[in-house]
Each structure stands twice: as structure tokens, then as C-alpha cells.
Amino acid sequence: MSELKLIKTYKNELQKYSLEQLSYKSEETVWSIGQMYDHLILVAHEYLDKVEKCSKLYDEQPLGKTEFGVHLFKIRRVSSNKDKITG
């Protein structure tokens, strides 16, 4: 699924909820469904901006991959080709 299609899917799924359902919070300290969707969409845009920036870099990182990055390569979620994400 493309990045923009994923964000559009999130937005389309919002149509299934009433305004009351989107703003309902079972407790004061928890997020409503609307707040969670808002967070997902904002973070997705931020993440995609960083992916685009990284895809244009040509320098190797001197410190190498993070521990999580190594894990992703091991489970083949990220290709060794820097402009291709699998899965």
C-alpha cells in the first residue's frame, strides 16, 4: 500500500464513527479514537517526510544501523536497496 493511500485509508475509516464516538474518552487520561487517528495521521506524515529525506542521502552512516534497524534487516522487512521497503 502506498504511503498516501495508507493515510487516505485512515481518513476514510473515520467516516464509520459519529462525532460522539470519535470524541468519547473512557477516562480523562486516555485518548479518544479521534485523538488516536489524529496522532496516526500526523506521525505518518512526519515519518514519510523523514523517509523521503533519507532516500535522498548518499552518505553511509558512520555509526551503522541501530539495534532495531539490524532486527528489521534480519526479518527482511527492509531491503538492502535503500529506496525499497518490503512487506
Side-chain angles (χ1 to χ4, degrees):
M1 180 178 291
S2 75
E3 297 86 7
L4 292 178
K5 186 174 180 183
L6 177 62
I7 293 169
K8 287 179 183 176
T9 299
Y10 283 144
K11 289 179 178 179
N12 289 336
E13 289 294 312
L14 289 172
Q15 303 304 315
K16 296 180 179 179
Y17 300 99
S18 69
L19 186 56
E20 183 177 299
Q21 289 172 313
L22 287 171
S23 59
Y24 173 77
K25 292 171 65 170
S26 60
E27 296 178 24
E28 187 58 35
T29 58
V30 299
W31 285 5
S32 67
I33 293 172
Q35 288 172 306
M36 287 189 275
Y37 267 98
D38 182 59
H39 175 73
L40 285 172
I41 292 166
L42 290 174
V43 171
H45 279 289
E46 181 181 319
Y47 175 75
L48 293 173
D49 289 344
K50 290 179 191 254
V51 168
E52 182 178 353
K53 181 180 177 183
C54 287
S55 72
K56 294 177 182 177
L57 296 176
Y58 293 98
D59 300 332
E60 289 290 324
Q61 295 299 313
L63 299 176
K65 296 178 188 73
T66 63
E67 185 178 328
F68 185 66
V70 170
H71 172 72
L72 289 177
F73 273 86
K74 282 183 181 176
I75 63 170
R76 308 292 289 156
R77 291 287 296 165
V78 179
S79 168
S80 58
N81 181 347
K82 77 176 191 171
D83 62 358
K84 181 180 179 189
I85 298 176
T86 60

